[in-house]
């Protein structure tokens, strides 16, 4: 059996462990992820649609819909890999126990990324089905793409969480990361308003993996995908995954072996 297959098999044990713990409080764990987009759509989408009118031929609720899928992936991945990882590392000593087995640091990180990919994919599928049932997707078949895009988006966002976990000195400092990094990414990446007439902001958000995931979800939901743009945003997500994932691995390695 090749080394890569052995590593993947060991990493899968990390996924199974996280799922075993997660399912014990399944309803409590999924409720914020599903409730927040629903409340956002109710308050902003349905509440403001009559006053805003149409945006690019869409009601405001339809405009917001794919962004809610992206939001689910972002928050699922970031909080799981920041707060969740930190608790498992610093308070529960889960990884110290794992490292006494054949599981190494590489498998721990790989397992965490696999876990957030799977979890975000399932959450994106769930939110997408709700949006389709409400008639908020111009192309309901986009639901089939939401799990893949949501999972791809979750990995670099999870890497940001791991980078934060590697640098904070206590759990309260995650609030600073959220306030000055995650919140601006969330609010300024085209989820709530188009960026077409804001050239400076449109350039700045290119350095955010979240923006590229938002655009892929919007294009799939609205049915206006251009091959060149799809390829650009997909390659951008892959590049962010490679760079941030590698950076997170080397940053967190010292914490896990200390």
């Amino acid at each position: 059996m090749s080394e890569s297959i052995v590593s993947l098999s060991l990493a899968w044990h990390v996924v199974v462990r996280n799922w075993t713990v997660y399912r014990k409080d399944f309803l409590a764990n999924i409720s914020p992820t599903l409730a927040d987009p629903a409340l956002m759509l109710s308050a902003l989408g349905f509440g403001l649609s009559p006053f805003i009118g149409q945006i690019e031929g869409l009601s405001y609720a339809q405009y917001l819909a794919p962004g809610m899928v992206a939001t689910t992936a972002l928050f699922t991945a970031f909080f799981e890999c920041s707060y969740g990882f930190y608790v498992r590392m610093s308070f529960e000593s889960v990884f110290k126990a794992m490292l006494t087995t054949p599981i190494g640091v590489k498998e721990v990180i790989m397992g965490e990324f696999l876990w957030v990919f799977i979890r975000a994919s399932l959450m994106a599928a769930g939110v997408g089905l709700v949006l389709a049932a409400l008639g908020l997707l111009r192309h309901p078949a986009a639901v089939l793409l939401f799990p893949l895009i949501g999972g791809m988006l979750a990995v670099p966002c999870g890497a940001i969480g791991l980078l934060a976990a590697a640098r904070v000195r206590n759990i309260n400092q995650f609030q600073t990361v959220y306030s000055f990094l995650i919140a601006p990414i969330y609010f300024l990446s085209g989820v709530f308003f188009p960026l077409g007439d804001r050239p400076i902001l449109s350039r700045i958000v290119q350095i955010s993996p979240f923006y590229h995931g938002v655009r892929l979800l919007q294009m799939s939901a609205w049915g206006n995908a251009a091959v060149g743009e799809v390829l650009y945003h997909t390659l951008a997500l892959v590049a962010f995954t490679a760079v941030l994932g590698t950076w997170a691995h080397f940053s967190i390695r010292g914490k896990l072996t200390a």
Side-chain angles (χ1 to χ4, degrees), residues 130-149:
V130 172
L131 295 174
L134 293 174
L136 295 178
L137 301 179
R138 178 179 285 177
H139 287 263
V143 170
L144 299 176
L145 294 174
F146 284 176
L148 176 60
I149 300 172

Side-chain angles (χ1 to χ4, degrees), residues 165-188:
R167 283 163 171 73
V168 298
R169 293 189 298 275
N170 61 71
I171 198 167
N172 293 324
Q173 292 183 343
F174 284 117
Q175 298 178 44
T176 303
V177 179
Y178 175 81
S179 298
F180 292 101
L181 181 60
I182 301 301
I185 286 175
Y186 172 48
F187 286 109
L188 301 177

Side-chain angles (χ1 to χ4, degrees), residues 173-208:
Q173 292 183 343
F174 284 117
Q175 298 178 44
T176 303
V177 179
Y178 175 81
S179 298
F180 292 101
L181 181 60
I182 301 301
I185 286 175
Y186 172 48
F187 286 109
L188 301 177
S189 291
V191 172
F192 299 100
F193 55 88
L195 301 178
D197 59 346
R198 296 166 174 82
I200 296 177
L201 183 57
S202 295
R203 290 183 176 86
I204 292 174
V205 296
Q206 302 295 323
I207 63 173
S208 162

Side-chain angles (χ1 to χ4, degrees), residues 218-240:
Q218 288 176 339
M219 287 187 290
S220 63
W222 300 341
N224 60 354
V227 175
E229 191 175 1
V230 170
L231 185 61
Y232 166 69
H233 292 298
T234 301
L235 291 176
L237 273 184
V238 171
F240 275 114

Side-chain angles (χ1 to χ4, degrees), residues 78-94:
F78 175 75
F79 287 115
E80 181 68 28
C81 288
S82 56
Y83 285 97
F85 188 93
Y86 188 86
V87 168
R88 292 192 289 276
M89 176 177 64
S90 301
F91 300 120
E92 298 176 347
S93 298
V94 169

